[in-house]
Amino acid sequence: MGSFSSFQVLLLSLGLFLAACNAFPQNEAVALTFFKRAIMEDPLLVLSDWNPMESEPCEWSGISCSMARDHVIKLNISGASLKGFIAPELNQLSTLQELNLHGNLLIGTIPKEIGMLKNLKVLDLGINQLTGPIPPEIGNLTSVVKINLQSNGLTGNLPSELGNLKHLKEIRLDRNRLQGQFPASNGSEFPSNLHGKYASTGSPTGFCLSSQLKVADFSFNFFNGSIPKCLGYLSRSSFQGNCLRDKDSKQRTTEHCAGGASPSSNHPVVNTQHQRVEDRSTHQPKASKPAWLLSLEILMGIMVGSLFVIALVTTLQKCKQKPSIIIPWKKSASDKDYTMMYTDSELLKDVVRYSRQELEIACEDFSNIIGSSPDSLVYKGTMKGGQEIAVISLSFIEENWTGFLELYFQKEVADLARLNHENTGKLLGCCRESNPFTRMLVFEYASNGTLHEHLHYGEGCQFSWTRRMKIIIGIAKGLNYLHTEIDPPFTISELNSSAVYLTDDFSPKVRPDRLLIM
């Protein structure tokens, strides 16, 4: 009996040992939790089952684990319209082999911590809205085979550390704002058909070290200099749309090369359906358009505007309430330091700052409410000089505000501040204070309310055709400005009659806000 009891104890101990070995690493679960926290909008609810209290991470959408279910090896969430940031804590997924976030709406920069994923074979962050330079730490991904960063807003030079990627077979960097020369040197002259395989005793650098590279696309950036001989085996289409000294591929004009890679252009040119962006250099300058083409564009704008108004009158009665911003988490007291990590005051250095006190006086102690939604209140105010303003105040308490939301707020404010057209709402400035917690935007006030109010509650049916055409053409001009006249183009979250404000003389102003729901 004694030996049998000892055997039972041995089995129990072995079971506990195996259970402990198969337990999912806490640091990886924490990393995935931070990833979810950094996502501000999840319209398809792909992260809705990411709940460590109900299930283990291996059962979450987009997660693949090892055979033993003790490590994450794939994080694959593509085409899900996720809007937010890439959390640097993903570096704790030490066994991750594939990181695929292709075709979302991710903003911010690529965290340098990604370079710590030594087992990563596939890095796909293509077709997002990422900005900033490619971190040199990417060159530490010694196992990577494929890198896709196409169709973002990446800037700066290519880091020479990319030449350290010995196993790299495919790299796609097209349709960004990268510049400078290619980090590649043969060390000596070689025929272009050697595909990166060298028989010389020279010392190649950069991409000339990538002997396995078979597919590369550097098109539609702002690279200059010449195409390295060691990359001569690639198709010339891989280099088109740049500023290179190459007669065999289509390059940008001198004007585009002189000002196209401006640091202020820190947003990618990506449409809302995540399709590849058409290079702007392929369009003719406006000055060269013939008169008949301009007339045709105006006529088409009038026709489209007419259809727009007809659709508003017949169908937009259902559009009386807009969805709120999804914030599926709350910040704990321990997140204070983490919150401050993602703020960037440089974004708002050119935006006028208002104090809460002066806005409180202008808006009559914030009693003059002219609109509201689950996420904001809208006040009418009058400044000391007599200027009428509309103040939009976000309805969030500090406990629900995160560093990711703060940086998103700042980026959207900076984007709104660059708009300047008679048929778009004009941002005058913002208010950011901590005590009490305040996030407000200040716009020009349109005294005649919204087009929706006139169509559904006023005397819209008595609008003269002259006034109707003025509104239609004004909307068309505003949309043309947002979509074609500024670079990068500005997309609005939702266009309906409630998004069109009317001035004293019934000139329309398209409301440009995307962050705020009114």
Side-chain angles (χ1 to χ4, degrees), residues 36 39 41-50 61 77 80-82 326-328:
K36 181 177 180 179
I39 301 300
E41 296 182 14
D42 179 15
L44 303 183
L45 302 179
V46 295
L47 305 181
S48 59
D49 61 349
W50 282 39
S61 299
I77 304 178
S81 298
L82 296 179
I326 300 173
I327 305 180

Side-chain angles (χ1 to χ4, degrees), residues 160-177:
S160 59
E161 287 82 357
L162 293 178
N164 299 333
L165 307 177
K166 306 294 185 182
H167 302 289
L168 185 64
K169 295 182 179 180
E170 178 180 344
I171 184 168
R172 298 186 182 274
L173 303 174
D174 53 291
R175 291 166 172 78
N176 282 283
R177 294 187 172 276

